[in-house]
Structures are given as C-alpha cells and as structure tokens.
Amino acid sequence: MHVYGRPAVFSKSVIFATAFMSFFSVVIALFKDIPDIVGDKIFGIRSFTVRLGQQRVFWICISLLEMAYLVALSVGVTSSCIWSKWITVIGHIVLASLLWNHANSIDLKNKNAITSFYMFMWKVIHLHDPVQQQVT
C-alpha cells in the first residue's frame, strides 16, 4: 500500500488508537439501543437488546471496554519511554476503574440512569484521547 508514492507505515500508536476506538464504536452502537428496548419491541425491531436483554447487553458493553483497557495497559507496559509507560498505565487503570465503579451503580430500569451512563461513556472516550496519545 502506497500513499503519495511512498509505502504506508502504520506506527504502533496508529494501530493501537484505531483498534481501541473501534472497540468504543462497537460499544456505543450496542449501548445506544439499551434505553430504546420498549420502542424496539413495539415496532418489532430485533436489536441485540431485545434479543438478549438490557442487562446482558449492558455487561457485554462493559466487558468489551474493560478488555480494551486491559489491552491498553499491556501496550503501555511495553512502552520503551518511561514517562509514556507510567501515564498510559496509570491513566488506563483510572479510566477502567471509573467505568467499572459507575457500571456497578447503574439502575437499568431507570431510563435517565442509562442515558446518564451513556453520556458518561462519551466523557470517558474523550478523557481517553490524551492518555492514548502517550503510547509510542
């Protein structure tokens, strides 16, 4: 593959960022249907949430994100730059812990709580960007 006549080179950072954000994209796509389960049922939409249930889809989403953080920790530990290693490892531990703690306190019967958590996930994504940029 060539870009402007030169071979394309994908750095570790680009590969990591692409993979990590792909996980987030899948989770956001799955999660957005959780609060809409009633409407999906009424209109015959067989979303994952309708087929598997709110709780199962919710915990699939959380598991995918926690797996992504585990991979991020692994990438951070292998960094050759000591400051990047510490920022990446500590940053992802903090973000994964925030996500886990918040997930365990959500009431899936409360649509406002689900929406609030959805917005929280977007904040975590944006908090993640500066941490992710430390990976080299």
Side-chain angles (χ1 to χ4, degrees), residues 28 31 34-35 58 99 102-103 105-108 110-124:
I28 292 298
F31 197 91
I34 294 173
F58 177 81
L99 178 72
H102 199 69
S105 67
I106 190 168
D107 176 12
L108 292 174
N110 182 333
K111 191 171 182 174
N112 288 336
I114 295 169
T115 302
S116 174
F117 188 83
Y118 180 76
M119 296 311 294
F120 170 77
M121 285 194 328
W122 277 104
K123 290 175 188 170
V124 169

Side-chain angles (χ1 to χ4, degrees), residues 5-124:
R6 301 167 106 181
V9 178
F10 297 105
S11 68
K12 182 177 166 182
S13 296
V14 169
I15 293 168
F16 170 71
T18 302
F20 199 93
M21 296 315 284
S22 294
F23 262 85
F24 270 115
S25 298
V26 169
V27 169
I28 292 298
L30 290 172
F31 197 91
K32 72 173 191 58
D33 286 334
I34 294 173
D36 298 332
I37 190 168
V38 174
D40 287 354
K41 285 180 181 178
I42 290 170
F43 292 105
I45 299 170
R46 296 194 28 82
S47 64
F48 279 125
T49 305
V50 170
R51 288 185 271 163
L52 302 175
Q54 282 181 308
Q55 185 167 351
R56 184 181 250 176
V57 172
F58 177 81
W59 286 106
I60 287 170
C61 291
I62 299 305
S63 297
L64 287 171
L65 290 175
E66 293 294 344
M67 283 190 287
Y69 281 121
L70 185 60
V71 170
L73 281 167
S74 301
V75 170
V77 166
T78 64
S79 175
S80 59
C81 180
I82 194 72
W83 65 266
S84 177
K85 180 183 295 195
W86 282 104
I87 290 172
T88 303
V89 170
I90 292 169
H92 286 99
I93 287 171
V94 168
L95 293 174
S97 298
L98 284 170
L99 178 72
W100 186 258
N101 289 334
H102 199 69
N104 280 300
S105 67
I106 190 168
D107 176 12
L108 292 174
K109 302 292 184 211
N110 182 333
K111 191 171 182 174
N112 288 336
I114 295 169
T115 302
S116 174
F117 188 83
Y118 180 76
M119 296 311 294
F120 170 77
M121 285 194 328
W122 277 104
K123 290 175 188 170
V124 169

